Amino acid sequence: MATEVDICNIALTNLGEAKIVSLTEATERARLSNLRYPDVRDAVLRSHPWNCATKRAKLTRSTVTPAFGYLYQYSLPSDCLRILGTHDSLLSYQIEGKFLLTDETTMYVKYIAQLTDTSDIDSNLIQAIGLRLAWELAEPLTGRIELKREMWGKYVEVIAEARGIDASEGIPDRTEYLSWIESRWGYQDLDYKPIDSPAEGYDRSTN
């Protein structure tokens, strides 16, 4: 199982730097790694709907209501980095700060969580975070702009592979309409149920 130090050492060894033993050791490598790792980790997690970081939650409605525009606001989960969607793709909502604003009386969301426990992070994603960190540390540690560009190239390759593997582990969401023509004329597939819909589905019948 990779630790935070292991991920930082992926970055350092790609830069040709010596490994660190601890993030608190008295070296510039450790200081910069400790400073940049959390932000880099969160940025990479936000960049894609990673399976290992995806969670679902029922939101808690706040006692404070929005000044205008929406009827209610809900507190986002404390570990939320990015909202991926709600239980109904047709719902209207807006993310503002640490709240989700909507007119709905109940809200369920799917979101990307901040993974502070490295044992929860997929192995491909660990490599991607390490190389993104290498890109961040290249200039302050080595002063070599060309090395920074090289690290970005490596990161792009690894993150693309990681996203591809991640996306293959599940059934992609379907769009409700089968074509733009059906969408225009209001065709409804009564057998269709969104992947994130409630177990009983939605009422697709017409009046």
Side-chain angles (χ1 to χ4, degrees), residues 35-118:
L35 177 67
R36 296 301 302 139
Y37 171 75
D39 289 340
V40 168
R41 175 201 62 209
D42 291 353
V44 176
L45 287 172
R46 271 183 57 87
S47 71
H48 178 81
W50 305 103
N51 295 322
C52 65
T54 300
K55 291 185 178 181
R56 299 170 190 245
K58 180 180 181 181
L59 300 185
T60 300
R61 192 194 309 172
S62 172
T63 56
V64 179
T65 57
F68 65 94
Y70 289 98
L71 296 178
Y72 310 108
Q73 66 179 20
Y74 293 80
S75 299
L76 296 178
S78 59
D79 61 350
C80 179
L81 292 178
R82 172 186 170 190
I83 293 293
L84 297 175
T86 67
H87 60 284
D88 186 341
S89 61
L90 301 180
L91 295 183
S92 174
Y93 67 93
Q94 178 69 40
I95 303 298
E96 294 183 359
K98 296 181 179 180
F99 295 94
L100 181 150
L101 280 59
T102 183
D103 292 334
E104 302 300 316
T105 56
T106 304
M107 285 299 297
Y108 295 84
V109 297
K110 185 164 70 170
Y111 68 98
I112 292 296
Q114 182 184 62
L115 301 182
T116 56
D117 185 345
T118 56

Side-chain angles (χ1 to χ4, degrees), residues 25 31 68 106 124 201:
E25 68 181 48
R31 185 187 72 81
F68 65 94
T106 304
N124 297 96

Side-chain angles (χ1 to χ4, degrees), residues 157-207:
E157 290 182 4
V158 170
I159 196 72
E161 180 183 8
R163 286 173 175 170
I165 293 173
D166 189 78
S168 70
E169 296 179 328
I171 301 173
D173 291 352
R174 284 182 50 188
T175 54
E176 181 168 356
Y177 295 111
L178 302 182
S179 72
W180 72 270
I181 295 177
E182 292 166 348
S183 175
R184 180 179 177 83
W185 289 102
Y187 173 86
Q188 291 179 313
D189 179 0
L190 300 183
D191 294 325
Y192 165 65
K193 185 176 72 173
I195 194 169
D196 292 321
S197 67
E200 66 274 15
Y202 296 112
D203 183 7
R204 299 288 178 179
S205 62
T206 56
N207 294 327

